[in-house]
Amino acid sequence: MIEVREVFGKEADGVCTHFSVSRRENERVLRLTDGDRLGVGLTRFEGGAVRIRLYVTDGDEGDRELLLRSLMFDATRLTGYDVYIEQDGDYTAYGFKKETGGWKTKAENIVFPHECK
């Protein structure tokens, strides 16, 4: 069963250590589990915007996309706020536009295409 949920404390530290990533102050940690595969996504609210800093998995592309979609869906709760994705990639299919420092859109403008990559 695939699960994506926010984790705290030692559980958050463990998944971050697994991927050799450090948390910044006030970052939320979302962990993906899919059998023996793991993933981690880091997001924070800063400067009046939601910032998705990174998302990585040791699974396949489907796991990566599920984790990204989970992070974006979480951001849609904050209608009216900007959402930035700081990780390299092309996020135009999700309604983001490239700007200095990442990709940006309003939370309510995030698009979830029917087909996964």
Side-chain angles (χ1 to χ4, degrees):
M1 179 174 96
I2 300 172
E3 177 184 58
V4 178
R5 68 180 178 92
E6 187 171 7
V7 292
F8 306 90
K10 290 182 181 180
E11 198 172 359
D13 293 340
V15 73
C16 287
T17 298
H18 178 82
F19 288 101
S20 301
V21 296
S22 305
R23 285 189 293 169
R24 295 179 182 163
E25 188 174 351
N26 298 321
E27 273 188 326
R28 297 174 60 224
V29 179
L30 279 75
R31 182 187 72 188
L32 174 139
T33 52
D34 182 7
D36 60 347
R37 299 186 306 245
L38 280 175
V40 65
L42 300 177
T43 182
R44 68 192 182 283
F45 189 76
E46 178 182 280
V50 177
R51 298 189 172 272
I52 298 170
R53 181 164 64 103
L54 67 82
Y55 59 99
V56 294
T57 73
D58 54 14
D60 59 18
E61 186 62 30
D63 287 337
R64 248 176 76 79
E65 179 145 356
L66 176 63
L67 182 56
L68 171 62
R69 285 173 175 252
S70 297
L71 293 165
M72 291 188 302
F73 182 75
D74 185 58
T76 64
R77 297 177 302 127
L78 298 171
T79 301
Y81 287 93
D82 291 330
V83 178
Y84 291 89
I85 299 178
E86 298 173 352
Q87 185 166 315
D88 287 340
D90 184 352
Y91 304 101
T92 53
Y94 303 104
F96 287 79
K97 292 190 168 105
K98 180 76 170 155
E99 292 195 356
T100 304
W103 292 79
K104 176 185 172 187
T105 194
K106 289 281 189 196
E108 62 271 19
N109 293 336
I110 294 175
V111 175
F112 294 96
H114 296 285
E115 298 85 25
C116 292
K117 292 179 185 174

